[in-house]
Every structure is written in structure tokens, then in C-alpha cells.
């Protein structure tokens, strides 16, 4: 299998790759369904209060009107709020000194979850710790729950664990995230080999390494007014500088945009190199394709579109105006949250026994379940012997 075939078989390609139109449609549908759910839940809550107050007719009508008048979040407001908590996830991951792959995976978990869920249903502030803790497990970076919770203010272990099943449902139980960082490291090593005269062209193997090195030294400077690279040592420094800039783009812009949904990891890291040093990226690109290849133009167009996405990223440090807007959205969210989904810890406890709390079940059903558990334990003892 080729690398392309392997990637096409991954869940990231099959389930989490979209066109811009598909993303817009999904987010619009999610927002509409969430808004309708909020209005329905508020209407039901008002009806329950009306019955409790023994004023069904008057209060019921008022409750219905109040539900219809709820000012719900727009799709854009949804995205701004989720984006802000992606930034907070990155900051908390840095505070915990987690590696880049854990941080990047946690952010993608949040972004994937909110393709089919809205902040009006589940607040990102409550999902964020669970996404990061799940990422430590899926990326094999062991962190105990006790240690993780100790770094969170006013947060208990159950607050982190309770949303985890909801999160995994939203992720469609697919935890693999393919990141572009590893590809960038491979490209970095190939560029260093070319600079030192040890590389070769994938498209034109007959060109000797010495000639490729000479051509590399002749590429344009990064910015106008700067002198050309004159020696292999200068080129190595240039490559290292471009690598550092590209790496920073992958750690910020790539995570805060829709790049992961729209492009492959290789397209993302190559685009980051184009932004960091376009002449160097152009030279490297030429070594990968025959001069007459029809794919070159198509791929270059895709890379430039990806560059535009990466350049459009919001700042990882929101300014005063952005914070005012986020505060406004959060206040608006306070009035349009789904009241049935606020207590995630309570929902988690209620779902541990066939989706319902035993307190709310018929007494016969509770006794039957208790008897079944006791019989199951007895059978286990007969097979394996009593507990040590």
C-alpha cells in the first residue's frame, strides 16, 4: 500500500474530511437543531413550573411565548466560543507541560465534537478538561486523574470523567488524529540532506547531488533586499529558520482553523513551509515532481488555498475587542442553554444503569436487577472460586 492509500483508509479521511460547503451545512444544521432543542426544553420546564403552581392555562401560554422568544446563538457565535476554548485548551496543555501531539489532539477532539453538538447544549468549558484528559490517554501520555484534576481550579474528578462518554459519542468512537508535525520533520531532514549535498530528486534521480546543492544555493532570498544564500552553512541556517516558523504555524494556526477538516496532513505542513519560506518550499516542491507533471498545477493551487486558510487564523492571544465580544456571547449563552443538559455529572449518573436512575424505576425492576447482579456474582465465584 502507498502512503496515500494508507491515509485514505484512516478514520480521519473517511469520517472527518469535508469540503467547505459540507462544513457550513453541518454547522448550520447543528445550530438549528440545538436552538430548537433549547426552545423545547425551556417550554417543557415552564409547563412543569406551571403545573406546580396550579396555573396551567396562564403559565403554559406564557412559557410557550418565552420559549419562542429565546435569543439563541448564531453559527458564527458558536464558532467564536468554541475557538476561544480551543485556545484555552492549548494554554492549559502548555501549563501541564503536555507534548504537542497531546495538545493538538485535544483541540481536534473539541472541534470534531462541536461539528455535531452546539455550545447551547454542552458548554465548551465543561467539555474542555475531558477532551484534554482523553487526549493524554489516546496519545499514550500517562497522567493520573488525580494529578490532572489537581491542576484545575474548582474541578472534581467526576467533572472530568462525566462528559467523557458524550465526548466519545461525538467523536464517533474514533480517536486517531493524524498530525502534520511528523511530515514537517521528514521534510526538514530531506532539505538538510539537499543542502549538504547528500539528497536526491524524487522526480529526476539522474541529477547528481552536487548539482541539486548548487541549484539550491541559487534560489531567491526569502525577502527582497536580502542577499542570496552563498554557502551550505548559510543554507542550513535558512532551513532551520524556516523549520522553526513552519513548526509554530502548525502549533497555532493549523489547530485554530479548519485546516484539519479540509486538507491532508502533508498538504498542511507543506503549506506551512510555503508561508515560512516560499522560494525554499518551491525548490523542494520541484524536486518531487517531473517537469511535465499535470499534477503540479493542481497541487500548487491546493497548497495556496491551504496557505490562505492558515493565514486567516485568529490570534492565539485574543485582544480587548475580541474578549469583549466573547464576554457578550457567553452572557447570551447563559440565557439560551438547554436546561436539560446543564448537569453533566447528574446525566452521567443517570445513564449508568440502562440510561435511567434506579430511584426513578419501578420497585420490581430494581429488585429484579439486584437479584440478577447477585446471581451473576455467585456464578462467577463458582467458576473462578471466591474472592481472595
Amino acid at each position: 500500500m502507498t502512503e496515500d492509500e494508507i491515509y485514505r483508509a484512516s478514520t480521519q479521511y473517511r469520517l472527518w474530511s469535508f469540503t467547505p460547503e459540507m462544513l457550513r451545512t453541518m454547522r448550520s444544521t447543528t445550530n438549528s437543531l440545538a436552538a430548537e432543542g433549547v426552545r423545547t426544553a425551556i417550554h417543557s420546564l415552564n409547563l412543569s413550573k406551571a403545573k406546580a403552581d396550579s396555573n396551567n392555562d396562564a403559565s403554559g401560554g406564557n412559557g410557550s411565548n418565552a420559549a419562542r422568544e429565546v435569543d439563541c446563538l448564531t453559527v458564527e457565535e458558536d464558532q467564536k466560543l468554541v475557538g476561544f476554548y480551543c485556545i484555552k485548551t492549548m494554554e492549559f496543555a502548555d501549563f501541564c507541560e503536555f507534548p504537542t501531539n497531546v495538545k493538538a489532539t485535544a483541540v481536534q477532539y473539541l472541534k470534531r465534537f462541536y461539528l455535531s453538538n452546539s455550545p447551547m447544549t454542552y458548554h465548551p468549558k465543561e467539555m474542555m478538561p475531558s477532551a484534554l484528559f482523553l487526549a493524554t490517554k489516546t496519545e499514550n501520555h500517562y497522567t493520573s486523574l488525580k494529578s490532572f484534576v489537581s491542576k484545575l481550579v474548582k474541578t472534581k474528578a467526576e467533572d472530568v470523567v462525566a462528559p467523557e462518554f458524550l465526548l466519545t459519542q461525538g467523536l464517533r468512537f474514533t480517536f486517531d488524529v493524524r498530525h502534520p508535525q511528523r511530515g514537517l520533520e521528514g521534510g526538514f531532514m530531506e532539505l538538510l540532506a539537499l543542502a549538504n549535498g547528500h539528497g536526491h530528486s524524487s522526480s529526476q534521480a539522474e541529477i547528481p547531488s552536487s548539482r541539486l546543492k548548487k541549484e539550491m544555493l541559487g534560489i531567491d532570498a526569502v525577502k527582497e533586499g536580502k542577499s542570496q544564500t552563498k554557502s551550505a552553512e548559510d543554507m542550513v541556517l535558512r532551513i532551520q529558520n524556516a523549520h522553526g516558523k513552519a513548526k509554530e504555524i502548525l502549533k497555532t494556526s493549523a489547530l485554530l482553523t479548519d485546516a484539519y477538516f479540509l486538507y491532508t496532513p502533508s498538504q498542511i505542513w507543506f503549506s506551512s513551509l510555503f508561508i515560512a519560506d516560499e522560494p525554499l518550499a518551491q525548490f523542494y516542491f520541484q524536486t518531487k515532481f517531473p517537469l511535465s507533471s499535470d499534477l503540479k498545477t493542481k497541487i500548487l493551487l491546493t497548497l495556496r488555498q491551504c496557505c490562505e486558510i492558515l493565514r486567516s487564523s485568529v490570534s492565539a492571544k485574543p485582544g480587548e475587542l475580541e474578549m469583549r465580544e466573547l464576554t457578550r456571547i457567553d452572557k447570551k449563552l447563559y440565557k439560551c442553554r438547554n436546561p436539560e443538559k446543564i448537569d453533566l455529572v447528574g446525566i452521567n449518573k443517570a445513564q449508568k444503569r440502562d440510561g435511567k436512575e434506579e430511584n426513578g424505576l419501578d420497585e420490581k425492576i430494581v429488585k429484579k436487577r439486584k437479584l440478577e447482579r447477585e446471581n451473576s456474582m455467585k456464578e462467577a465465584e463458582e467458576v473462578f472460586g471466591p474472592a481472595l
Side-chain angles (χ1 to χ4, degrees), residues 262-329:
L262 301 174
Y263 301 99
T264 66
S266 57
Q267 290 169 343
I268 295 171
W269 81 256
F270 223 128
S271 298
S272 71
L273 186 62
F274 262 87
I275 295 173
D277 189 333
E278 184 168 343
L280 181 65
Q282 282 276 17
F283 170 80
Y284 184 51
F285 182 79
Q286 298 294 338
T287 67
K288 296 297 179 183
F289 295 93
L291 295 174
S292 60
S293 175
D294 295 331
L295 282 174
K296 283 175 66 175
T297 304
K298 186 177 180 180
I299 294 174
L300 269 176
L301 178 61
T302 301
L303 293 177
R304 295 197 183 283
Q305 290 172 343
C306 185
C307 286
E308 291 304 310
I309 292 287
L310 295 176
R311 287 192 180 103
S312 68
S313 171
V314 297
S315 172
K317 296 181 179 179
E320 186 178 347
L321 290 177
E322 289 85 353
M323 289 306 300
R324 285 181 185 175
E325 173 67 3
L326 289 164
T327 302
R328 181 193 67 78
I329 295 172

Side-chain angles (χ1 to χ4, degrees), residues 62-284:
N62 293 336
S64 179
N65 291 333
R68 283 196 296 268
E69 292 171 1
V70 173
D71 185 17
C72 294
L73 299 184
T74 64
V75 177
E76 292 74 20
E77 289 171 336
D78 271 355
Q79 290 309 297
K80 286 180 180 179
L81 200 61
V82 172
F84 173 71
Y85 280 98
C86 286
I87 293 173
K88 301 306 288 184
T89 301
M90 293 162 62
E91 290 176 354
F92 184 56
D94 289 337
F95 173 75
C96 295
E97 298 181 343
F98 291 150
T100 301
N101 61 318
V102 172
K103 175 171 66 175
T105 296
V107 171
Q108 292 311 306
Y109 283 171
L110 268 187
K111 293 178 78 70
R112 290 179 179 184
F113 178 79
Y114 283 105
L115 280 182
S116 56
N117 295 277
S118 168
M120 291 183 285
T121 310
Y122 303 110
H123 200 297
K125 184 178 180 180
E126 297 168 353
M127 302 304 299
M128 180 192 77
S130 186
L132 186 54
F133 186 62
L134 179 62
T136 63
K137 293 186 279 187
T138 58
E139 292 293 338
N140 295 315
H141 184 79
Y142 174 74
T143 304
S144 69
L145 181 59
K146 184 178 179 181
S147 172
F148 184 79
V149 172
S150 68
K151 297 173 182 177
L152 289 163
V153 180
K154 297 180 181 179
T155 302
K156 299 178 182 178
E158 59 184 7
D159 297 325
V160 175
V161 175
E164 195 167 72
F165 184 67
L166 287 170
L167 179 63
T168 56
Q169 280 183 313
L171 297 175
R172 305 189 206 179
F173 302 99
T174 58
F175 309 115
D176 179 40
V177 181
R178 306 293 178 95
H179 297 294
Q181 282 86 353
R182 185 173 293 179
L184 176 63
E185 297 307 314
F188 174 58
M189 288 188 286
E190 281 195 332
L191 283 168
L192 288 178
L194 286 167
N196 290 313
H198 304 304
H200 67 274
S201 171
S202 301
S203 60
Q204 298 166 315
E206 70 278 2
I207 298 179
S209 301
S210 57
R211 181 178 165 185
L212 284 173
K213 179 181 178 180
K214 185 178 179 180
E215 290 179 359
M216 192 178 197
L217 293 175
I219 63 177
D220 295 334
V222 185
K223 295 180 181 179
E224 291 184 9
K226 287 195 173 184
S227 58
Q228 268 188 339
T229 308
K230 296 181 179 179
S231 65
E233 291 75 16
D234 291 339
M235 179 55 70
V236 168
L237 290 174
R238 178 173 175 175
I239 293 170
Q240 290 173 340
N241 186 43
H243 171 254
K245 290 179 179 178
K247 195 173 182 180
E248 191 61 30
I249 291 169
L250 297 184
K251 288 166 61 178
T252 53
S253 301
L255 299 181
L256 298 176
T257 60
D258 289 331
Y260 275 70
F261 293 137
L262 301 174
Y263 301 99
T264 66
S266 57
Q267 290 169 343
I268 295 171
W269 81 256
F270 223 128
S271 298
S272 71
L273 186 62
F274 262 87
I275 295 173
D277 189 333
E278 184 168 343
L280 181 65
Q282 282 276 17
F283 170 80
Y284 184 51

